[in-house]
Amino acid sequence: MIGSHLKKTFSRKIVKLSLDGGFTCPNRDGSKGYGGCLFCSEKGSGDRASSFCEDDSLSIKHALDRQINLLSDKWPDAGYIAYFQSNTSTYAPVRELRSKFEAALNHPDVVGLAIATRTDCLPDEVIDLLAELNSRTFLWVELGLQTIHDSTAKAMNLCHNLQDYDKSCKALLSRGIPVVTHLILGLPGETEKMMLDSVRYVCRESEFGKIFGIKLHMLNLVKGSMMEQKYPDYVSFETMDDYIDLLIRSVEIIPPEITVHRISGDAPREILIAPHWSYKKRTILNGIHREMKIRNTWQGKALEDKR
């Protein structure tokens, strides 16, 4: 898990602070589409992110300070990763990106960056900036692939495809930039086999090595999304046990050297429609760990069994 990896790397507790950097998305501004991906909330799936209105470094510092002040009593000696989460955090001119990323890194308690983006928003000049930052700080880039199946991507109005992912992943890995791939389980029309195929694909060995990490969670139907209008009664997993079973089978095919960054999703309860139980993150995580003990299984076990 990423928490253990970070503690081993930094020899202390490391906490990720979610930021809304004020970015938009080519799937919202008309460059590729309007309204965003069907499942995205009005805030670009960054509903828990701390926002700032201005571009100056002081506003970014204040956004970080607000979160650190809330956490400092619990973890007085922690370090922090500034996580640019909302919308597409590489979708801006390089000058703006540099200003915001550098401002976060200048905070005395920040030890690194995590940058979430789309698979089709990494032009060469942005890759150059990321490579430069990666050479002097701890960094990873999250690619919101969601599924390897282009038919699903089209139905979900993602406006990007597997070819975009392969191109961006290759460009990042070839420059030594760690990649974390985000997949959503339970997208409409996908079978369990299709979901597991997505996990296998992104965890494969490429000519530039493996991805650094993976994020998995169930599809949450939320208020304010286009999906609420198109699939108002959709439920990705009827029961928590159904989700736990598929999640464990996914974890079993993830190589142990790949860090697992998320195994559940917890949309804010006030906007969550379904699954109605998915806000119970601690209950879900406890259920996963308990069931893994019962099954005597672990990350990568299915790969070991094939040897």
Side-chain angles (χ1 to χ4, degrees), residues 183-195:
L183 296 175
I184 295 178
L185 303 177
L187 290 166
E190 292 213 343
T191 64
E192 289 187 351
K193 180 182 182 303
M194 292 172 71
M195 296 179 227

Side-chain angles (χ1 to χ4, degrees), residues 192 240-250 295:
E192 289 187 351
M240 190 181 299
D241 287 342
D242 290 340
Y243 176 71
I244 288 173
D245 175 65
L246 182 63
L247 187 282
I248 289 175
R249 286 188 283 136
S250 298
R295 299 186 189 188

Side-chain angles (χ1 to χ4, degrees), residues 13-27:
K13 175 73 174 179
I14 301 296
V15 181
K16 192 169 61 174
L17 303 177
S18 295
L19 294 172
D20 179 346
F23 303 105
T24 183
C25 174
N27 202 9

Side-chain angles (χ1 to χ4, degrees), residues 96-198:
E96 179 183 341
L97 297 178
R98 179 183 293 277
S99 174
K100 291 180 177 180
F101 298 158
E102 294 282 10
L105 285 174
N106 284 337
H107 193 288
D109 295 322
V110 168
V111 299
L113 293 175
I115 300 167
T117 189
R118 287 168 57 92
T119 65
D120 56 351
C121 288
L122 288 162
D124 291 343
E125 60 270 22
V126 172
I127 296 284
D128 290 340
L129 171 61
L130 295 173
E132 177 197 330
L133 293 171
N134 186 56
S135 70
R136 54 188 173 87
T137 192
F138 186 87
L139 176 145
W140 72 71
V141 175
E142 294 190 4
L143 294 180
L145 174 60
Q146 320 311 356
T147 176
I148 66 168
H149 305 287
D150 288 345
S151 57
T152 306
K154 184 176 181 180
M156 291 292 101
N157 194 45
L158 300 189
C159 296
H160 62 74
N161 56 34
L162 184 58
Q163 184 177 4
D164 294 320
Y165 171 79
D166 287 341
K167 179 180 177 182
S168 292
C169 196
K170 178 180 178 179
L172 291 166
L173 293 179
S174 67
R175 300 290 292 274
I177 301 169
V179 172
V180 175
T181 302
H182 186 185
L183 296 175
I184 295 178
L185 303 177
L187 290 166
E190 292 213 343
T191 64
E192 289 187 351
K193 180 182 182 303
M194 292 172 71
M195 296 179 227
L196 293 172
D197 284 345
S198 288

Side-chain angles (χ1 to χ4, degrees), residues 20-22 51-56 59-60 66 100:
D20 179 346
S51 62
F52 47 89
C53 298
E54 302 85 4
D55 289 343
D56 62 280
S59 65
I60 295 176
R66 285 197 298 270
K100 291 180 177 180

Side-chain angles (χ1 to χ4, degrees), residues 267-283:
R269 195 171 181 181
E270 61 270 18
I271 67 168
L272 176 66
I273 299 173
H276 66 87
W277 44 263
S278 71
Y279 73 92
K280 301 178 181 180
K281 186 175 181 179
R282 181 52 53 189
T283 301

